[in-house]
Amino acid sequence: MCHISSFYLLGFIIIIIPPLLSDYRRFPCIPKMWAVRRASAFSLRAPGLKIAAFRACAGHGPVSILKEDKSSPSELHLFKTDRSVTSRSCNCTVTVPRLFSVGCRCLSSQAGANSSGEENDDLEDGFSELEAPETSETTEAKVVDGDSSADSASDSESDLSSLDDVSLEETLETDLLGETEEDAGKAASKKKYTPSPLLKLILEESGPSISGALDKYFEDKEFSRPELYKVFLNLRRRKLFGKALQLSEWFEKREDSDFSERDYASRVDLIAKVRGLQKAESYVDSIPKSFREEVVYRTLLANFVSATLVDKAEKLFNKMKDLDFPVTVFTCNQMLLLYKRSDRRKIADVLLMMEKENLKPSVFTYQVLIDTKGQSGDIHGMEQVVETMKAEGVEPDIRFQAVLARHYASAGHKEKAEDVLKEMEGTDLKNNPFICPIVLPIYAKLGNAEQVERIWKFSESSPRQANFFAAIDAYGKLKNIKQAEAIFEKMIKTYKKLTSRHYTIMLQVYAENKMLSKAKELLQRMTDAGCPIGPTAWDSLVKLYVDIGEIEKADSVLQKAVQHNPKLRPMFSTYMTILDQYSKRGDVHNAEKIFQRLRQAGYIARAKPFHALLQTYINAKVPAYGIRERMKADNLFPNKGLAAQLALVDAFRKTTVSELLE
């Protein structure tokens, strides 16, 4: 019997094998991999993971066509033979890629080199509101509305990326602040939360620093570390990372602080969110060596992943390996999340490494896999992952179910989506009030106005901020603008201190419904309220102008926004919205300009921008000189789609006529 974990074999089969099989003659390693397919049914077993018979089945998906290494004809740049994992009993061999060697736990990528020489062409007609005098931006406002380190994880490739980030943040809270799952469950079940006097003091402090107020508070009070951690946790959940960082700095200066490695890790995370990743890296180097443990490095790794910095994440992973830190499920989950966003072919390599390290997958591991399959439209593959998860006895959480329901809704499986939503709700919403903001948008995606109305009425009596946001978004998707506006006005009256996020949620509704005049009025209200206009608002404006056919105006808005506040980075999806439009036009000059700005903003090379750029040349009916070399320089190897596009824009490609004339 083949002693192979069902989970990892499933991941290998549904992620890697289908793309390769449709063009197997290009890959020397396929005959060996196909041996797995011929093993019709066998028992799968691994430490802590058991499953009955499972049959490997090949599906259809995008094919990866990789350029051969001329120096080694039998090997490929991506799939280079390192060693084979062989089962003696069934005589099947799986070749492990060298660039992600299971033996040495290394990751490798050269993607991410920044281009230089940004074009500064003056564009016409900027959005007037963006030229208003810059308002003072608090740290919290920067984080909420798109600080470069916090917002860059947003990606046009999936509307579920926010769920990944929420799950990641919750994991960081648990790891860094020592909160147990039981405590987290109790906190989530509470209908009302009464803040501690210390938290109330910090929330009410409006000065540039809270250290003075903290010193005064503890003059006649005994210092309590558990109370401090609870305040930390609450500030993080409120996304008040700036105040949490000040609290951390004040705490370290105390003589009785007894700073631990988890305290240092928490500081790394807060610095990354508030002051940027470069500052966080510098801080890690300043931490005493005795406290520079695995939890510190993996926290920095999580922030690299959040910003989709592939090269930095892989280098840090390799450094952790060199320091002999153990490979953990958390670390592997970060790499899975990274490759889900950047290079899905490497997902199977991470799964193989997890198997070698005897790591049992967590709920988040499965969530990343079903999200990957759902994004590619492979509902059958997604359900296979769910079945394997259930067979391994891993219970899905709310976030996992939300991802599943959304993909069912996107694929048109309305009944399956509603079944999952009912399971999420339970028998009575009163027992699960926190579920409302999660299910509202999904019901709206299904077009179920009746269920949206039911859930909003339930939560309207004592709504939380998340309920307001979800309801506005849901009614916007249902095209019920009047109701969305009514909820927005109620939210404005409910909260005294408003942030950019309160306005941006309504701005997104106007953008989705092509309501330009309403969007301008809202932006003016936003400016009058002293709220900064950041990347999320920019994204909504750009999409609005694109939807009404004013691409140049969208380009101008983005350019002026960046010039107005160069410290903030536009979202990846914002650049892609404009690039896709120039691509449809066949506008090579402007497409190249946006492509370069995308790179200069720090986004690593991906297949998606190259797809759009190549399509621009195809639509313009002109050759793309040097495009292969540009991709090679970014260590990006063409999949089937890119290879087909490259053939169409190759100025030196052979045709039937050219071959006859040779």
Side-chain angles (χ1 to χ4, degrees):
M1 304 297 268
C2 293
H3 300 296
I4 305 173
S5 166
S6 59
F7 168 77
Y8 301 109
L9 179 62
L10 174 62
F12 190 84
I13 291 171
I14 67 177
I15 300 293
I16 288 296
I17 292 184
L20 300 181
L21 290 178
S22 55
D23 202 5
Y24 67 89
R25 287 172 294 183
R26 296 179 183 267
F27 297 87
C29 61
I30 288 297
K32 295 181 180 180
M33 294 166 62
W34 188 238
V36 178
R37 174 70 170 87
R38 294 200 301 266
S40 60
F42 46 82
S43 175
L44 302 170
R45 184 173 59 199
L49 304 176
K50 293 184 179 181
I51 190 172
F54 180 86
R55 185 184 181 94
C57 56
H60 297 284
V63 181
S64 298
I65 299 179
L66 308 179
K67 187 176 180 180
E68 293 184 359
D69 187 348
K70 294 181 180 179
S71 64
S72 179
S74 64
E75 294 183 342
L76 302 176
H77 280 293
L78 181 65
F79 291 90
K80 293 184 178 181
T81 306
D82 180 34
R83 57 175 296 182
S84 296
V85 181
T86 307
S87 172
R88 296 179 181 176
S89 55
C90 67
N91 297 321
C92 61
T93 303
V94 180
T95 301
V96 180
R98 176 179 292 276
L99 293 187
F100 195 118
S101 171
V102 176
C104 65
R105 305 195 312 258
C106 288
L107 302 173
S108 177
S109 174
Q110 298 300 320
N114 291 332
S115 302
S116 59
E118 180 180 5
E119 295 182 43
N120 292 315
D121 297 343
D122 292 330
L123 298 177
E124 300 176 357
D125 296 328
F127 199 81
S128 60
E129 283 80 353
L130 293 176
E131 298 177 353
E134 183 175 1
T135 58
S136 60
E137 293 183 20
T138 63
T139 301
E140 291 76 21
K142 286 184 179 180
V143 172
V144 169
D145 200 43
D147 173 49
S148 60
S149 62
D151 184 66
S152 56
S154 300
D155 198 313
S156 62
E157 294 175 358
S158 172
D159 63 351
L160 300 173
S161 60
S162 60
L163 287 174
D164 294 338
D165 297 333
V166 168
S167 298
L168 169 58
E169 184 60 32
E170 289 177 347
T171 304
L172 283 172
E173 289 171 0
T174 302
D175 282 359
L176 301 182
L177 304 180
E179 183 192 34
T180 64
E181 294 182 3
E182 182 180 357
D183 292 336
K186 290 179 180 178
S189 64
K190 292 182 179 179
K191 295 182 179 180
K192 293 183 179 180
Y193 172 75
T194 303
S196 69
L198 177 58
L199 176 61
K200 187 177 180 181
L201 172 71
I202 294 174
L203 294 177
E204 293 177 350
E205 182 62 37
S206 58
S209 174
I210 63 173
S211 59
L214 290 172
D215 289 336
K216 186 176 180 180
Y217 178 83
F218 283 105
E219 280 181 357
D220 55 350
K221 290 182 178 64
E222 184 179 353
F223 179 76
S224 171
R225 191 181 182 100
E227 180 188 8
L228 195 68
Y229 276 5
K230 287 181 180 179
V231 172
F232 265 124
L233 180 61
N234 201 294
L235 290 173
R236 290 177 65 92
R237 288 182 171 175
R238 291 170 182 260
K239 296 188 182 297
L240 299 177
F241 301 119
K243 288 189 174 181
L245 178 58
Q246 290 185 51
L247 180 60
S248 174
E249 291 172 339
W250 172 86
F251 175 50
E252 185 181 11
K253 291 177 182 177
R254 288 182 61 93
E255 295 180 358
D256 57 348
S257 64
D258 190 23
F259 232 54
S260 67
E261 58 266 22
R262 290 189 180 274
D263 293 318
Y264 282 112
S266 179
R267 174 77 67 79
V268 170
D269 182 57
L270 292 171
I271 291 175
K273 286 177 166 61
V274 176
R275 298 171 185 166
L277 287 166
Q278 187 174 358
K279 295 287 187 182
E281 286 185 87
S282 300
Y283 179 74
V284 169
D285 294 335
S286 70
I287 295 174
K289 191 173 182 180
S290 58
F291 292 101
R292 220 180 298 164
E293 299 295 334
E294 187 265 346
V295 66
V296 170
Y297 285 102
R298 77 179 183 199
T299 301
L300 183 60
L301 175 67
N303 280 280
F304 283 152
V305 171
S306 181
T308 323
L309 299 176
V310 178
D311 190 46
K312 281 184 172 292
E314 291 177 339
K315 285 181 179 178
L316 183 58
F317 183 93
N318 291 334
K319 182 176 181 178
M320 293 170 69
K321 177 264 302 182
D322 294 337
L323 293 171
D324 292 326
F325 289 137
V327 177
T328 63
V329 175
F330 180 89
T331 303
C332 290
N333 283 345
Q334 293 313 299
M335 302 313 296
L336 286 173
L337 182 57
L338 178 71
Y339 291 137
K340 187 199 79 171
R341 295 171 175 171
S342 60
D343 189 351
R344 296 176 184 176
R345 293 171 300 178
K346 293 184 179 180
I347 288 179
D349 302 328
V350 181
L351 299 180
L352 286 173
M353 179 180 62
M354 291 178 70
E355 181 185 18
K356 177 177 174 58
E357 299 292 336
N358 293 319
L359 296 176
K360 185 175 181 179
S362 66
V363 175
F364 188 74
T365 312
Y366 288 105
Q367 178 179 315
V368 174
L369 293 182
I370 68 163
D371 196 14
T372 302
K373 299 305 293 181
Q375 286 177 26
S376 63
D378 186 359
I379 301 301
H380 176 65
M382 184 177 74
E383 290 176 336
Q384 279 186 300
V385 176
V386 176
E387 289 173 4
T388 303
M389 176 180 172
K390 291 180 179 179
E392 300 295 349
V394 180
E395 292 295 327
D397 60 14
I398 294 300
R399 300 293 174 185
F400 179 94
Q401 291 175 309
V403 174
L404 189 63
R406 287 199 179 194
H407 282 310
Y408 276 140
S410 298
H413 296 275
K414 186 174 181 179
E415 291 184 1
K416 289 184 177 181
E418 289 181 342
D419 288 343
V420 176
L421 290 171
K422 289 178 182 177
E423 185 178 348
M424 291 169 66
E425 285 188 42
T427 56
D428 192 346
L429 271 177
K430 293 180 180 179
N431 299 326
N432 301 308
F434 59 88
I435 208 70
C436 294
I438 300 176
V439 300
L440 268 171
I442 306 177
Y443 275 124
K445 196 178 188 74
L446 293 169
N448 197 329
E450 183 179 342
Q451 294 298 329
V452 170
E453 182 70 16
R454 174 181 66 85
I455 294 173
W456 169 242
K457 281 187 175 180
F458 168 79
S459 59
E460 189 175 12
S461 58
S462 57
R464 297 180 297 143
Q465 184 171 263
N467 293 341
F468 277 121
F469 290 160
I472 292 170
D473 177 55
Y475 279 108
K477 285 182 169 60
L478 294 172
K479 310 297 182 184
N480 190 341
I481 307 303
K482 288 185 178 180
Q483 180 65 5
E485 289 176 331
I487 297 172
F488 173 74
E489 295 300 335
K490 182 175 181 179
M491 178 179 68
I492 295 296
K493 294 177 181 178
T494 302
Y495 296 100
K496 296 179 181 179
K497 187 177 180 180
L498 302 177
T499 66
S500 300
R501 192 179 180 192
H502 292 90
Y503 290 95
T504 302
I505 190 68
M506 193 67 217
L507 182 63
Q508 290 172 339
V509 171
Y510 288 143
E512 289 173 0
N513 291 276
K514 304 179 183 179
M515 304 175 73
L516 181 59
S517 60
K518 289 275 191 179
K520 287 184 176 182
E521 292 175 5
L522 185 64
L523 279 171
Q524 188 59 56
R525 288 181 63 181
M526 189 173 173
T527 302
D528 294 341
C531 295
I533 300 174
T536 309
W538 302 345
D539 185 65
S540 297
L541 282 174
V542 165
K543 289 179 179 177
L544 193 157
Y545 276 116
V546 165
D547 287 343
I548 63 177
E550 297 187 25
I551 304 172
E552 288 78 10
K553 192 66 171 289
D555 194 341
S556 174
V557 166
L558 182 59
Q559 184 186 27
K560 288 183 178 293
V562 174
Q563 291 174 350
H564 179 64
N565 199 335
K567 292 182 180 180
L568 299 183
R569 174 170 80 161
M571 296 164 63
F572 176 79
S573 60
T574 310
Y575 285 110
M576 286 306 304
T577 297
I578 300 177
L579 180 58
D580 286 338
Q581 293 303 311
Y582 283 139
S583 176
K584 292 177 182 178
R585 285 185 173 186
D587 188 339
V588 173
H589 171 73
N590 282 315
E592 284 281 9
K593 183 171 59 179
I594 294 297
F595 185 87
Q596 291 305 317
R597 288 178 184 166
L598 185 73
R599 299 289 305 281
Q600 288 157 2
Y603 290 106
I604 53 93
R606 308 188 196 183
K608 193 169 185 178
F610 273 104
H611 269 301
L613 187 63
L614 284 169
Q615 192 59 45
T616 309
Y617 282 94
I618 293 171
N619 292 340
K621 298 180 180 179
V622 295
Y625 294 101
I627 194 71
R628 291 179 183 272
E629 287 71 22
R630 290 166 65 180
M631 295 176 67
K632 186 176 181 180
D634 286 332
N635 198 30
L636 182 65
F637 301 97
N639 54 28
K640 185 176 182 180
L642 281 173
Q645 288 178 309
L646 284 169
L648 294 175
V649 299
D650 189 352
F652 307 104
R653 71 180 187 276
K654 290 185 177 181
T655 64
T656 304
V657 175
S658 64
E659 289 178 352
L660 289 173
L661 295 177
E662 283 184 349

